[in-house]
Amino acid sequence: MVSAVAGALFALGVVAPGPAAAPPPRAAGADGDLTPVPTEPRPPQLPADFQGTGRYIVRDLGIDVPFTWQGRDGNSQMVAGGPEHPIWFTNLIYENTLYTLTYKWPNIPLFPPRECSKVPGFFNRQIFNDKLKTSRFVGPEILQGERDRHVDHWRVGVVGGSTVPGDFFRFPLALGDIYVDQRDPTRWWQVLQFGLQNLFDPELDEWFTMDSFDHRPGQVTLPDRCPPPTS
């Protein structure tokens, strides 16, 4: 269950079409003049090649550790913490397969080492991006820090059960708030994830915030203990 839900959001965790070439729609003002109607910005998209550094934060556990997120040729890898930190894990999209491997986590024994979880089925960046096409636009915001970042705030969810509106059974699996650069939705600055993919945390939530994010190809390495990717 944990691995499957992790795949739903990829730690959440879009190849979206750009605006049409036609001019934006216009609305008539009180004086009869035509004024442009605001259009919704493009939703987040995960580029094929990128490098990002930042912090991974679990506030209820007091955890704030280094975080990297890198992509190369459509494969991508998140790494939070390391051997010298209280947590250490990696999530990957690698050759059409989703993996998650936890090396360290509070109250999780180090020995025997945990297995690398390979989520069954076919999963890649395109599938992840297609899910992000369903994101809902929350609005423009400013992330305040050492430097203010003008971002667009999006929300995407994964819900189990019926997809028909009305009184039908359904239950939430995961929710993600994604903050991307207003000028470039392929540049990610912050993500809040909440859901069953975070079962190791009592509050079921986690943050990662980026200090840098650029479009140079990164380094993606499948750990030795992970099984071969889906053929």
Side-chain angles (χ1 to χ4, degrees), residues 26-51:
R26 294 175 177 267
D31 56 2
D33 293 338
L34 294 178
T35 57
V37 175
T39 57
E40 188 172 279
R42 288 179 297 150
Q45 60 180 9
L46 185 67
D49 299 300
F50 63 93
Q51 295 185 32

Side-chain angles (χ1 to χ4, degrees), residues 50-63:
F50 63 93
Q51 295 185 32
T53 62
R55 309 292 297 181
Y56 174 85
I57 301 165
V58 186
R59 297 207 181 278
D60 61 298
L61 299 181
I63 286 174

Side-chain angles (χ1 to χ4, degrees), residues 66-82:
F67 177 81
T68 62
W69 192 10
Q70 304 187 59
R72 177 180 286 270
D73 297 329
N75 295 327
S76 57
Q77 181 172 19
M78 296 176 172
V79 179

Side-chain angles (χ1 to χ4, degrees), residues 114-147:
R114 298 186 66 82
E115 294 184 359
C116 177
S117 296
K118 173 183 174 181
V119 179
F122 188 91
F123 188 87
N124 58 22
R125 183 178 67 99
Q126 181 67 56
I127 294 173
F128 179 62
N129 285 339
D130 285 345
K131 178 58 186 177
L132 290 179
K133 290 180 182 180
T134 68
S135 300
R136 278 82 70 197
F137 182 52
V138 178
E141 298 181 13
I142 299 176
L143 297 179
Q144 295 181 316
E146 293 185 3
R147 57 175 298 186

